[in-house]
Amino acid sequence: MFDVADFTKYSDPFKLLAQPLDPKGVFDAWARVLPLSRTATNGAESKPADAGLPDIKVDEYADYAKDLERILQAHGWQASESALSNIRKNIDAWTKVSGAFMTPMLGKHWLDYLLDASQRSVLYTDALRQRGNLFVEHEEGSDKTVLSWDHEMVVDGTKLARPVNYSLVRIIPPAGVTVREDGRPYIIIDPRAGHGSGIGGFKNESEVGAAIHQGHPTYFVTFTRLPVPGQTLADVTAAEADFVREVRRRHPESPKPVVIGNCQGGWAAMLLAATNPDITGPVVANGAPLSYWAGQKGKNPMRYLGGLVGGATTVKLLSDLGNGQFDGASLVSNFERLSPSNTWWSKYYSLWDQVDTEVPRFVGFERWWGSFYYMTPAEISWIVENLFVGNRLGRGCANLNERTHVDLRNINSPVIIFASHGDNITPPQQALGWIADHYKDVEEIRARGQRILYTLHENVGHLGIFVSSSVAKKEHDQIISTLKAIEALAPGLYEMVIAEVQGEGVERSFKVAFAERSIEQMMEQTGGDDSNRPFAAVARFSEIGTELYDLTLRPIVQAISNETSAKLLADTSPMRMQRWLESDRNPLMQPVQGLAEEVRKQRRPAADDNPFRMMERAGAGLVTQWLDNARDMQNAMIEWNFHLLWGAPPVQAMGERLSGTVSEAPREDLRTLTSVQDALDRIELGDFADGVIRMLIFLASSRKEVRRSRLERSNRMLMATEPFASMKAKHRTRMIHKESLIVGYEPEAALAALPKLILSMEDRRRAMALCEEIAGSRDEMSPETLAMLDRLAQALELESSPLLDETKTLRKIA
C-alpha cells in the first residue's frame, strides 16, 4: 500500500534543504501512486496499468524531482548570499554606532534625539493624513491624474460610438519649449493595473519630458476611475485606434505617431498595432509583460500566483461580489505582496527618516499608488484568460472578440522593447519571450518585414522604467532620439546598445548602436526560459474551473450581491481602510494639521552623527533585512508549491494541448511568402533608388551592427535627397523591405543585377558617393565594410573611388 510518509518526505522543503534530493526516492513514491512499471529507466515509455492514464516517461519523474531540488537550491543560494551581505553591512553599521556612543555629550544627544523624534512623529503623521485626504478625494469622484504637465482634452472616449472611460489629452508645452507641428507625434498609454494614469508624466524628467523637450507633439491616454458599464478590451482598443486617427488628422504632414506603452499599457499598444497595422508608427513597450509564462526557476514568483489562486475563477468571483465591477485594489495588493519590506516598512521609514524633504515625493507617488480604479468583468476576464493565466497573446491564439484575431506578427511598424534585469514584475523573459514564441528565427522576422529592437537595463526596477529620472535622461531620451531615423533600419532583430561616452549630468553624451542578434542570443541575454507545460496545466484547470463556476455558483453570487454589499466590501478592504483612517474623516486626525504647522516653525532636527539617530537607522536596517528574509521564504514557498502541484508529470499532461507556441509549428517555406516571391521576381527590376537602397543594405549586412550616427545619415539622405525625398514614407519602407529580402535570399544575383538598376556611369558614381557619405569616416570602418565597398564598386564597373584608392594605398604601404 501507499505510505503517505514515503512521498511527503520528498515534499517537505525544510528537509530538502538539509540533504540532497533523491530522484529515485521520489520516483518510488510516485510509482506507488500511479501503477507504472519501474523497469524502464532509460527514457523508454512506461506501461500504465490503467489505460486512462497518459503515457509518461519514467525519466520525467526524475526531472520533476531535480526541478524541485534546483528551485530550493536557487532560493537557498540567494538567501545565503543576502545573509552574508547583510552580516557585513550590520558589522560596519554597529561598529560605527558603538564608536559614536563613546562621547561625554551622550545626555545632550539623547535630549536632541527625543525632540527630533517627537517632531518627526507629528510631521510623519501629517504626511499620512495628506495621503488619506487625497485618497478620500479620489474615492468621492475626483478624476485628477498625477500628470505633472498642463494638458487639454482632445477626445472624450465616453462620446465615441463605442463609449469607454478613456480619453486623449494633449500635453501643453511649458514656457520656453517649442513644439514642431510637423514633427512626429508621441502617444503615451499608461497601465490600467489597479492604479490611475499619469505615471509616465509624473515628473519633468519623464517620457513626456523626453518627447516634448525634443519638440514632438505629445499626447497622453488617460482613464477615469469607473468604466463605462459593459465596456470590453475590444472597445478600448477601438477607442485607442480612434485616438491615433485623430492625432494623424491634426498632424497631416507628420510621420505616423509613435505609441509608447508602459507595463500593461505596453500590451495595449501592441494590441492596437496588431489589429490596426496601417495607422501606427513605431511602438515602444516599456516593462510590458507580453509572454506571461516566461521566466526562470528560482526568480520572479509573481508569474506563479495564477496557479495558486484558482486561475480566472477568482477574478470572476471578485467581479460578481463587486456587483459587476472588479476592484483594482486586488491587483495593487498583489504587487505589494512581492516586497513586504517596502510595503510595510521601508517606504514608511524613509518618510520618517527624511520627513523634512521626503513628504512631497511620498504624497505625490502615493496619490497614484493608492488611487484604485475599477474594471468591468469582461475586461479583467479577458486580461486573465488571455494574458496572466492563459498566455494566449504570447502563444498567438488571442481574440479580441469574435471578429478580431490578434497576431503580433501583423505589426508593420518597428517595435522597441525596453526591459530590465532588476524588474521583478516584468522580467526580461516576459518582455521578450513572445519573439521566441512567434518566430523560429530571425530569417522569419526579416521575411515578414518586421524590425524588432530591444534594450536591457541591468538593475532598474519595474516602476523605475517609467519613473526614474536617470532612465528618462538616458534610455527614454536615446530611444526618442533614435526613433527619428529608425524606419531607415532594415528588417531584423537588433539589440539597442546604449553606452555612456563622456560627461556628467545633462552634459552626458551617449553612443548608440544597433547590433544584429539571433533569437537564441537574445534569450540567452535574458537568462533563458522555463517550460510552458506547468503553466499550460494551470490554464486548462482555469478553463474547467471557470466553466464550473459559471454553471453552479455564479448565479447565486450575483443574486446575493448588490451595490450596498459591493461598497461595503470595497470600503472594508485593508488597503482602503488604512487610508480612510488616516484622513480627516477620522476625528483623531483632525488636530494633526495644526500641530504640524507649529512643529515646522520650531523644527530642530538631530544631527546625522547623533549616536541615537545612527542606532535608529541601524535598527531600521535590521527590520528591513528581517522582512526581506520573510520575502525570500515566501518566494521559495510560492515557487515550490506551484511546481509541486503543477509540475508533476500527470498534472502537466492535462495541459499538453495548450503548451504549444506558434514557433513550434512546422514553418512554411519562407520563399513561398507573397512578399518574398514578389521581391525575388524583381531582382533585375528597379531604378536608381532601388539600387542605392540595395547597396546600403549590403553595407549594413557586412557590419552586423549599425551605429545611430550612420542610421541618421541614412535617414537624412532618404528624407532630403531625390528621388527619395519625394517618396511617401510607406513607399520607402516597402522598398527597404523588398531590397532586404533580395539581398538576404539571393545576395550574388542581387549584386550582379546592380548595373541593370543604375544604368549611367554618372548615376553609379553618385550612388557610390552616397554610400560612402553614409558609411562615414574610413577610420570607423571594419575590414568587412571596406571589402564590401570594393565589391560594390566592381559590380558597378567603377574603376575606384577616392575612399577606396586611399584605403588600397594604405594597405600597400603596410
Side-chain angles (χ1 to χ4, degrees):
M1 291 184 60
F2 169 63
D3 184 355
V4 174
D6 286 343
F7 184 73
T8 55
K9 70 180 181 181
Y10 294 104
S11 64
D12 185 344
F14 299 101
K15 292 180 181 179
L16 284 169
L17 284 172
Q19 60 183 7
L21 194 65
D22 177 11
K24 184 178 184 301
V26 174
F27 167 70
D28 290 341
W30 271 108
R32 289 186 175 90
V33 183
L34 296 174
L36 301 175
S37 168
R38 276 177 276 170
T39 59
T41 58
N42 59 353
E45 290 189 0
S46 57
K47 304 297 182 183
D50 185 345
L53 293 171
D55 288 342
I56 300 170
K57 294 180 181 179
V58 171
D59 279 358
E60 290 186 25
Y61 291 100
D63 292 340
Y64 168 52
K66 289 177 182 177
D67 282 344
L68 295 176
E69 181 179 16
R70 280 194 291 267
I71 289 168
L72 290 178
Q73 287 175 343
H75 286 284
W77 181 85
Q78 292 172 17
S80 299
E81 187 180 56
S82 178
L84 289 173
S85 175
N86 289 337
I87 288 172
R88 286 191 290 267
K89 289 179 183 177
N90 293 334
I91 290 174
D92 292 342
W94 288 103
T95 299
K96 293 177 181 177
V97 169
S98 60
F101 272 89
M102 305 301 291
T103 172
M105 304 292 291
L106 199 59
K108 181 179 183 304
H109 287 314
W110 173 242
L111 293 175
D112 290 345
Y113 176 76
L114 283 179
L115 177 61
D116 172 55
S118 61
Q119 290 180 334
R120 280 190 288 151
S121 297
V122 175
L123 299 177
Y124 172 85
T125 306
D126 186 58
L128 297 183
R129 183 191 64 83
Q130 293 178 48
R131 179 179 77 167
N133 287 343
L134 288 172
F135 166 78
V136 171
E137 180 183 340
H138 168 76
E139 288 289 303
E140 293 183 344
S142 172
D143 284 324
K144 292 180 182 178
T145 72
V146 296
L147 269 174
S148 63
W149 302 79
D150 292 335
H151 52 276
E152 59 185 4
M153 179 71 72
V154 176
V155 180
D156 182 352
T158 60
K159 298 178 181 179
L160 295 174
R162 298 163 66 176
V164 293
N165 66 327
Y166 283 69
S167 297
L168 179 71
V169 301
R170 179 167 182 175
I171 304 299
I172 299 173
V177 175
T178 302
V179 168
R180 303 182 308 276
E181 290 301 310
D182 61 347
R184 187 193 287 274
Y186 278 69
I187 303 173
I188 299 170
I189 304 175
D190 256 2
R192 185 162 163 238
H195 315 96
S197 58
I199 197 65
F202 180 57
K203 301 176 181 178
N204 183 57
E205 292 168 340
S206 60
E207 294 165 344
V208 170
I212 205 162
H213 281 297
Q214 292 193 32
H216 296 280
T218 307
Y219 295 81
F220 210 96
V221 176
T222 65
F223 45 85
T224 56
R225 175 172 169 264
L226 298 175
V228 173
Q231 80 178 35
T232 65
L233 259 296
D235 297 330
V236 172
T237 303
E240 289 169 343
D242 286 338
F243 297 162
V244 174
R245 293 187 184 95
E246 175 61 21
V247 171
R248 293 188 66 184
R249 187 189 68 77
R250 286 171 169 247
H251 304 276
E253 303 301 320
S254 302
K256 293 179 182 178
V258 173
V259 180
I260 299 178
N262 295 324
C263 186
Q264 296 199 45
W267 58 251
M270 296 290 276
L271 287 180
L272 169 65
T275 55
N276 299 270
D278 294 328
I279 66 173
T280 63
V283 177
V284 182
N286 297 317
L290 294 164
S291 183
Y292 280 80
W293 292 355
Q296 288 178 279
K297 287 186 176 71
K299 293 184 178 180
N300 312 122
M302 190 171 184
R303 67 190 181 120
Y304 301 118
L305 293 180
L308 299 178
V309 299
T313 308
T314 304
V315 298
K316 284 198 170 187
L317 173 63
L318 291 174
S319 297
D320 292 336
L321 290 173
N323 196 37
Q325 289 183 333
F326 178 80
D327 186 358
S330 300
L331 295 177
V332 179
S333 66
N334 281 338
F335 297 135
E336 292 205 333
R337 194 178 296 121
L338 288 174
S339 182
S341 65
N342 183 68
T343 298
W344 301 112
W345 177 256
S346 297
K347 70 177 181 180
Y348 294 112
Y349 178 73
S350 179
L351 173 63
W352 162 268
D353 183 44
Q354 304 291 334
V355 73
D356 296 303
T357 57
E358 183 70 6
V359 173
R361 191 212 62 81
F362 174 84
V363 173
F365 181 78
E366 286 291 310
R367 179 184 163 202
W368 173 74
W369 185 258
S371 297
F372 309 122
Y373 284 63
Y374 288 82
M375 295 183 187
T376 64
E379 288 179 301
I380 189 62
S381 293
W382 193 96
I383 291 170
V384 172
E385 291 171 356
N386 289 273
L387 300 169
F388 293 161
V389 173
N391 194 38
R392 294 172 185 168
L393 181 64
R395 292 188 290 119
C397 53
N399 295 313
L400 264 181
N401 53 26
E402 290 76 6
R403 289 178 175 269
T404 310
H405 174 65
V406 182
D407 188 344
L408 298 181
R409 296 176 301 172
N410 289 338
I411 299 176
N412 289 336
S413 304
V415 176
I416 296 180
I417 308 293
F418 179 23
S420 172
H421 289 288
D423 188 344
N424 66 336
I425 293 178
T426 306
Q429 295 91 342
Q430 291 189 12
L432 296 169
W434 67 276
I435 302 171
D437 288 343
H438 278 75
Y439 304 96
K440 279 191 178 294
D441 50 37
V442 175
E443 183 182 354
E444 186 174 358
I445 296 175
R446 294 192 186 109
R448 295 183 179 278
Q450 290 190 293
R451 284 151 290 180
I452 304 176
L453 300 90
Y454 67 93
T455 184
L456 290 170
H457 198 282
E458 282 302 316
N459 50 35
V460 68
H462 184 70
L463 289 176
I465 290 176
F466 333 124
V467 179
S468 170
S469 297
S470 62
V471 169
K473 288 178 181 178
K474 181 182 177 184
E475 274 78 9
H476 293 312
D477 191 63
Q478 298 307 312
I479 287 172
I480 288 171
S481 297
T482 299
L483 285 171
K484 298 174 183 177
I486 200 170
E487 287 173 316
L489 198 62
L493 177 64
Y494 302 87
E495 180 186 6
M496 183 177 173
V497 183
I498 306 174
E500 187 171 338
V501 178
Q502 60 184 4
E504 294 182 359
V506 296
E507 301 299 326
R508 284 185 301 172
S509 61
F510 298 92
K511 174 183 175 183
V512 179
F514 303 94
E516 293 184 10
R517 296 285 186 250
S518 67
I519 292 176
E520 292 75 18
Q521 288 173 323
M522 177 193 71
M523 294 308 296
E524 183 178 351
Q525 287 178 304
T526 67
D529 196 11
D530 200 1
S531 170
N532 284 348
R533 295 183 68 201
F535 299 94
V538 173
R540 181 65 184 129
F541 175 82
S542 178
E543 289 179 353
I544 297 170
T546 53
E547 290 174 6
L548 289 174
Y549 173 74
D550 288 343
L551 293 172
T552 55
L553 293 178
R554 193 170 201 190
I556 300 172
V557 176
Q558 288 178 330
I560 64 175
S561 299
N562 53 49
E563 186 175 347
T564 301
S565 66
K567 188 175 188 309
L568 178 65
L569 184 66
D571 288 345
T572 55
S573 68
M575 301 195 71
R576 281 190 170 83
M577 185 60 70
Q578 175 189 8
R579 290 164 172 80
W580 282 114
L581 293 174
E582 292 168 353
S583 72
D584 283 336
R585 295 300 175 87
N586 181 353
L588 297 177
M589 296 295 289
Q590 292 176 5
V592 172
Q593 183 178 7
L595 285 173
E597 291 175 357
E598 289 300 318
V599 166
R600 291 188 187 97
K601 295 176 184 177
Q602 305 174 34
R603 180 77 175 108
R604 286 177 54 189
D608 286 340
D609 61 355
N610 184 301
F612 297 99
R613 194 83 161 86
M614 294 172 67
M615 185 170 67
E616 172 200 296
R617 288 171 174 164
L622 290 177
V623 176
T624 300
Q625 292 168 21
W626 185 87
L627 288 170
D628 283 343
N629 291 337
R631 176 205 62 200
D632 294 341
M633 180 61 71
Q634 166 193 275
N635 292 349
M637 292 301 96
I638 287 174
E639 186 167 358
W640 167 268
N641 288 325
F642 178 90
H643 284 282
L644 184 67
L645 177 60
W646 300 107
V651 179
Q652 288 192 43
M654 179 175 68
E656 189 66 35
R657 70 177 179 83
L658 301 180
S659 64
T661 62
V662 174
S663 64
E664 292 174 356
R667 188 179 71 182
E668 57 192 323
D669 182 359
L670 295 178
R671 282 180 171 266
T672 65
L673 293 177
T674 302
S675 58
V676 177
Q677 284 295 310
D678 287 346
L680 297 182
D681 288 343
R682 289 171 170 77
I683 290 180
E684 298 183 352
L685 300 178
D687 54 18
F688 175 84
D690 298 271
V692 171
I693 294 296
R694 187 177 299 183
M695 293 167 69
L696 290 174
I697 291 171
F698 269 117
L699 287 174
S701 62
S702 71
R703 288 189 296 264
K704 302 301 180 184
E705 179 181 282
V706 181
R707 292 183 183 175
R708 187 178 68 183
S709 57
R710 287 173 177 161
L711 190 64
E712 290 172 344
R713 287 196 294 269
S714 178
N715 188 65
R716 282 197 297 270
M717 183 270 289
L718 293 175
M719 301 297 292
T721 305
E722 292 296 346
F724 306 102
S726 57
M727 293 180 183
K728 291 185 177 180
K730 182 183 292 187
H731 181 66
R732 287 195 298 267
T733 300
R734 288 175 177 171
M735 181 184 295
I736 293 171
H737 180 208
K738 180 195 71 174
E739 294 301 330
S740 298
L741 293 175
I742 291 172
V743 171
Y745 282 92
E746 296 291 347
E748 295 304 322
L751 193 63
L754 279 175
K756 297 183 179 180
L757 304 182
I758 309 175
L759 300 177
S760 71
M761 294 303 293
E762 181 182 352
D763 281 345
R764 292 179 189 180
R765 282 190 287 270
R766 181 184 170 215
M768 202 70 196
L770 286 172
C771 290
E772 292 170 4
E773 179 184 348
I774 291 170
S777 170
R778 173 180 54 79
D779 296 336
E780 297 179 356
M781 290 188 191
S782 65
E784 292 79 9
T785 301
L786 292 170
M788 181 54 69
L789 277 171
D790 203 355
R791 290 191 66 191
L792 292 173
Q794 292 176 13
L796 291 173
E797 300 173 358
L798 295 173
E799 294 181 0
S800 62
S801 70
L803 176 61
L804 292 172
D805 283 342
E806 184 180 355
T807 302
K808 291 175 181 177
T809 302
L810 290 173
R811 286 178 180 171
K812 288 178 181 179
I813 294 173

